[in-house]
Amino acid sequence: MDVDRRNGWTGAAIPEEFGGAGIGYEALCLIAGELGASLAPVPFSSSIYLASEAILLAGDDTQKRTLLPALASGQSIWTFALAEGPGNPSAQAISTEYRGGKLSGRKIAAPDAGIADFSVVIAKDQGGEVGLYAVALGESSVVRDTAKTVDPTRNYASLTFRDTPATPLLANGKGWALVEHVLNRAAIFVAFEQVGGAETCLQVAKTYAMERYAFGRPIATFQAIKHRLADMYVALELARAHAYYGAWAISHNALELATAAPAARVAATDAYHLCAKENIQIHGGMGFTWEMDCHLYYRRAKMLSLLLGVRRIGAIV
């Protein structure tokens, strides 16, 4: 993550005492928006939205001082290994086991797992309690299978653990509650990425519509195009409002985060999907080609909609 390291983005929300910049979650949200707008193909979300937050929430002081500085500087790449099958993540769906200091099991579709150095893995101990475990992915007992996804700009892989040494981040029975808290925090950052991508789609579509002439005038003057652009704008602004409410909630550690996070995720997912789809349509036949960037935003919209689990409300097609 050379670009992120030079700008200090990776350490934005990590406290100074753990090697970060300590400038807060609102700054991280703005960074997420810019990453989404530019369609940056970097392992930022897996390391910072997920793994870093998991360590901050679940790690003890020694673990934070050991693990977070390399994350803050961008020197190490992390992933967050949770899913084991289709459907939304839940404590009941976890079958990966932690016994005698070692992990055994399989995780699928872990973001950036094919290139990550370490992972936070969600597993159950011998008592059936969910815990968070730090694992070095360079171990010979870890098997990585890179997955081919609809978004070629991001890396996803499955991880198989065969008696892999692991360090518990939390082992007091509150593991799943912390996993949900991590996912709620990540939902806000992902929402800002989605808003950034949706805004780019709207701007690109508007610019093209104003420059493309048909029947002697810009297609932006046609009512059908105006309606599409208006729908994109309304969805984008609704998502932006939810995202900023979430940014407030996470910055103030407010109880409202539990409701702000899913609201932001749903609104941003809908907005990004709509804007990416309509951007292709407004570009006409050109929008479907590899010569244009439109399809890349549509692909990223699809993958971000699944990053934290399957969206439950409404339908995305």
Side-chain angles (χ1 to χ4, degrees), residues 186-208:
I188 303 301
F189 308 134
V190 172
F192 271 90
E193 269 205 37
Q194 292 170 310
V195 167
E199 186 165 22
T200 296
C201 289
L202 173 59
Q203 294 300 324
V204 169
K206 184 192 76 170
T207 299
Y208 180 80

Side-chain angles (χ1 to χ4, degrees), residues 34 106 124 214 218 270 289:
E34 293 303 314
R106 178 177 170 83
K124 288 182 178 177
D270 281 352
T289 69

Side-chain angles (χ1 to χ4, degrees), residues 25 45-60 63-64 67-68 71 78-81 119-122 131-134 169-170 175 178-179 181-183 185-186 189:
Y25 287 114
S45 58
S46 52
S47 292
I48 305 305
Y49 307 165
L50 291 164
S52 175
E53 290 303 305
I55 295 169
L56 282 169
L57 287 171
D60 60 29
Q63 290 170 332
K64 292 176 186 178
L67 302 175
L68 289 175
L71 264 168
W78 284 68
T79 187
F80 187 79
S119 177
V120 173
V121 181
I122 312 305
L132 291 80
Y133 302 89
L169 293 178
L170 185 75
L178 281 186
V179 171
H181 200 36
V182 170
L183 294 179
R185 290 189 178 198
F189 308 134

